[in-house]
Amino acid sequence: MPTRRPSRAERLPYLRRLTLRDRQLLAWLAEHYVLSTAQITTALFPSERSARLRLATLHRIDAVHRFVDVTTGTGQHLYTLGPLGMLVHPTTYTDPERPDARPPRSSIERTERIIGSPRLWHLLGANQLFVDLHAYTRTDPSAKLVRWWSEQHATAAYTLAGIRPDGHGIWHAAGRTVGFFLEHDNGTEPLRTVLRKLRAYERLAEFGPRYPVLLRVPTHRREAHLLDALAGVPTVMPVATGLHHEHPAGPAWTLAAEPGPRRWLHELPTDHGPDNTATNPHRYTDPDD
């Protein structure tokens, strides 16, 4: 006999049981669709055991859905928003494939869209960079991930330029604040396709921020080919390459215009752009300035 799911009214008291950490996780799942057990543990918990215990509770009270990861063969759980989570975030992003898709009728339908997305592996890969940055802030109190926007959020914010980054962030460390756009590359696209994406960033540089575009690739060989293709090609927007397995906060980035020793993320050149609310409405302003 199937277990009866609690009604909306029966779920409401559970809202009081959500901690600040729970609400942080639900906000991420609302915007970024999906996170793995390992990613949630890395970003938010002191141990895998404590993460699993809390995630089991969140699953039990319908804050999250979970399903087995079939993309990597690890067998770990992947998490999406559950019915209670969608009560907290009713205007959540609804479809990783179609930003203009009709709202799902339920959290189950939204989860089915995520599970069925051919970009599921890509979503997890792009999210990993931001997860690692957030985890770094737990070891360095002076560091902060100021902004973490999804592809759909960044695409909508910078629609005038027509960019479609896999993510956008603003990172503060060692007294510097650096914005960036992420292009997460799994090595499946021709190099010319990857390079063609940079044209939209050139348009953005005319009126918006000039943040480094991070081309994060799976292998040294892929990175070498990209750097060779970019050699001698002037780009208004800084371009830096890095590898999936290197920690993004550390000395993981090679500037295409100045190949040499790898740089820390906070060392990359950055420009928040003109202070013009009409053309650069999302300009970051340091609260300490």
Side-chain angles (χ1 to χ4, degrees):
M1 185 175 182
T3 303
R4 186 183 73 84
R5 307 300 295 180
S7 68
R8 180 186 177 96
E10 290 171 330
R11 290 190 187 105
L12 289 175
Y14 290 134
L15 292 174
R16 295 193 297 270
R17 296 174 56 181
L18 296 176
T19 66
L20 289 176
R21 182 170 58 189
D22 296 338
R23 291 179 180 274
Q24 175 72 84
L25 172 59
L26 297 181
W28 286 349
L29 294 178
E31 173 149 351
H32 306 289
Y33 289 112
V34 60
L35 291 167
S36 68
T37 302
Q39 289 175 331
I40 295 168
T41 301
T42 297
L44 296 173
F45 288 88
S47 69
E48 183 178 348
R49 182 177 183 275
S50 63
R52 289 184 181 278
L53 288 173
R54 189 58 189 168
L55 288 169
T57 297
L58 293 176
H59 181 249
R60 188 169 61 252
I61 66 175
D62 280 339
V64 298
H65 289 308
R66 69 184 182 192
F67 55 97
V68 176
D69 177 14
V70 296
T71 64
T72 63
T74 62
Q76 68 178 325
H77 281 114
L78 303 181
Y79 291 85
T80 61
L81 279 186
L84 185 65
M86 289 187 71
L87 281 178
V88 179
H89 294 281
T91 57
T92 177
Y93 291 87
T94 59
D95 192 312
E97 299 302 310
R98 297 173 296 130
D100 59 347
R102 63 164 178 78
R105 290 183 293 270
S106 67
S107 60
I108 290 291
E109 182 181 344
R110 180 178 184 268
T111 295
E112 288 172 345
R113 293 179 183 182
I114 297 167
I115 296 173
S117 170
R119 300 182 68 252
L120 178 59
W121 183 37
H122 190 87
L123 281 171
L124 288 167
N127 287 347
Q128 186 66 52
L129 176 138
F130 295 92
V131 163
D132 288 339
L133 289 178
H134 188 81
Y136 184 88
T137 67
R138 296 167 58 198
T139 63
D140 181 355
S142 68
K144 185 176 182 181
L145 182 58
V146 181
R147 182 186 289 175
W148 174 12
W149 286 358
S150 64
E151 173 189 333
Q152 290 181 0
H153 191 158
T155 299
Y158 297 106
T159 186
L160 288 177
I163 65 171
R164 294 187 60 86
D166 294 316
H168 161 54
I170 292 180
W171 174 244
H172 179 85
R176 293 195 76 233
T177 302
V178 175
F180 63 87
F181 296 106
L182 172 65
E183 292 290 345
H184 180 80
D185 177 76
N186 284 322
T188 56
E189 293 181 322
L191 287 182
R192 63 180 178 275
T193 301
V194 177
L195 297 175
R196 194 159 51 238
K197 295 177 181 179
L198 299 178
R199 294 175 186 169
Y201 291 103
E202 300 293 303
R203 292 194 294 274
L204 178 61
E206 296 174 6
F207 55 83
R210 294 187 180 188
Y211 292 150
V213 180
L214 307 183
L215 300 178
R216 205 172 194 219
V217 299
T219 65
H220 286 283
R221 182 177 181 180
R222 177 78 163 179
E223 182 182 35
H225 287 165
L226 270 173
L227 289 172
D228 286 344
L230 288 165
V233 178
T235 58
V236 177
M237 200 78 80
V239 177
T241 62
L243 297 167
H244 290 183
H245 67 268
E246 294 181 328
H247 197 290
W253 304 103
T254 298
L255 272 176
E258 301 176 35
R262 290 188 180 269
R263 304 192 186 198
W264 289 66
L265 181 57
H266 68 262
E267 294 175 333
L268 295 178
T270 193
D271 183 346
H272 299 301
D275 190 2
N276 186 323
T277 56
T279 61
N280 193 16
H282 305 287
R283 185 183 190 277
Y284 175 74
T285 301
D286 193 321
D288 295 330
D289 286 350

